[in-house]
Amino acid sequence: MGSMDNTVKRLLERLVRRIPSRMLKTTLDKWSRLTATQRQSIDYTESKWALTEKLLAICEENELTVKHIAELEMIYVIENPNLGMWHAFQLMDPQDDAHSVELTQFKEQFKSHLSELIRHVSIKIKKHTDEAVWIRIAWGDTFSRPNHLKPTYVVHYLQTPYVFLSSLTSKQKPLLSQALVLSTRYQAIKDANLSGRKLTAIRDLLMKQYLQVFPTKFPSPLAERNRVVSNLHIEKEQAGSAANRHQMACEAFGDGLLPQLQSAVYKLETKFRDHTNKTMTERDEPFRCVVKFASTNLLESLRHSASSGVASTPVTPLLSSVPLKGKNYFVITDNGPGPSSQMKPSQK
Amino acid sequence: MSLLKPFSKLPGLNTANILLVESEEQFQQSLADVLVEETSVTVNVRLAKSLPLPMENDESRPRIDLVVFIINLTSELSFQSAEASLKYLDPGYFLGKVCFMVTNARSASAPAERLDAVRKLAASLHCPLLFAENQTPDGVASATERLLTILKVAAGLVPIATALYMSNLTRCTLPLDIDQPSFD
């Protein structure tokens, strides 16, 4: 009883600290583990410390366990998924019945497979309104109880091969992969090389839920009607090439609001090439180098560099692969023989 | 090579035509919006990212009285683009019909060497060098006023004053210690 109380206390403390005051009321209301009287008795203008004490007292009153607090945490995380670091994974080689896996079957299978693989584990599965299945996993091992302070969150969209993970250690990865593969009826799972702080952004990018622009020979069929003239006395000399650049930039990256990616990383393992530097060029080993692009909205920045002419158009496949392949981590190697070979991004 | 020529077309009545060349295509739009509000003279503004200008527009383009190169001092690309565009102007323009305008001179990310390079360029071509503040409407308005003063002379709309005469007074000169290291 004593140690359990301690975990409840610690988890609740951390949670109250983490949830911004303005969201605390709505989150607690959604939780529905408190009676109406209890909810009304909470004064949200008090300090976080005072609120924690009050909530601890209520939880003891209701005999709530750490599992209930975990529920509360899950509610908060589902409503605010754009915190922490998410990594995308893709399930490979579906079996015949992979496409007909539905929620109940998946839930049962996942829980049973993961519990078989690891003795002490606490799993909570919840289906969100937008067809996403959320899983919270607290890991233990043969000797210790599940650690609720370092849970892993998994988001899977049924009938798609996409899985998004947050806070998973390398030890836990093979166990989770196994459980996922078995319960979704696929044969393997691989890293999709896409990560970011905003779950909604990497999901929208992978599932192409933003405005796509398709290549067309005649982008503006009603040029007379679509003309935007600010003033008859102002004329753009190079409007044609500007429109071309804009069209190509949108074809590569999309139109309108783009999913917010924070970075793109290119790991180069290519030979050094510079005729003026013989020492480096003569080396056999590849010149290892990592190039990182970072921005508050990387895709917007790339699209703008293309349409403003800073990045040459047509857009190089190195950049357009980010939205096209839904990846933001690339390993570039020299493909093909001879110095005249092009550098192609190779997926690893 | 298609050079832009200063006197190969007839002027319009009470009209002045200005060409703003800016690699970033930002400030030129705000300047254009204010320039066309001038009432005493009809001002036509042509906007370009760089020179040469497309040949398709040669026929319809009016006689350009003043060419302004807008350079953002925080961008090397901006400077290089302006420099590369110079060779597409007929030498006749450099007799008072070209002007340089720089922005962000006070920015910490504008290296002093770049401003010196622009100064040397403007001085060698005998052109005026204007400094503009492009973030506020007041800054845009005062930059526009100064451009209009030069534009009216370059278009021949000011009695007695000619572009060449004015450029003798307004052209950029180099301070004698430009090649000495600065105090910061």
Side-chain angles (χ1 to χ4, degrees), chain A residues 81-82 86 88 130 132 155 157 160 162 164 194 196 198-212 253-255 257-261 297 299 322-327:
Chain A
N82 294 333
W86 292 92
D130 68 346
V155 182
Y157 288 82
T160 73
Y162 303 118
F164 303 95
L194 177 66
K198 297 195 169 212
L199 174 65
T200 47
I202 59 175
R203 174 203 65 198
D204 288 344
L205 187 69
L206 261 185
M207 312 222 270
K208 299 241 186 288
Q209 283 168 1
Y210 58 97
L211 217 55
Q212 308 276 301
F253 298 104
D255 203 357
L257 280 176
L258 297 177
Q260 272 185 294
L261 280 189
N297 189 333
L299 292 175
V322 176
L324 193 67
K325 301 203 168 111
K327 296 168 65 167

Side-chain angles (χ1 to χ4, degrees), chain A residues 230-231 233-238 245 308 310, chain B residues 36 44-50 54 57 61:
Chain A
S230 58
N231 190 306
H233 293 284
I234 304 176
E235 177 109 6
K236 288 195 175 169
E237 287 277 350
Q238 291 140 341
R245 279 197 308 262
S308 67
V310 170
Chain B
V36 295
N44 292 316
V45 184
R46 310 286 286 195
L47 304 176
K49 190 179 164 74
S50 62
N57 299 348
R61 189 182 310 124

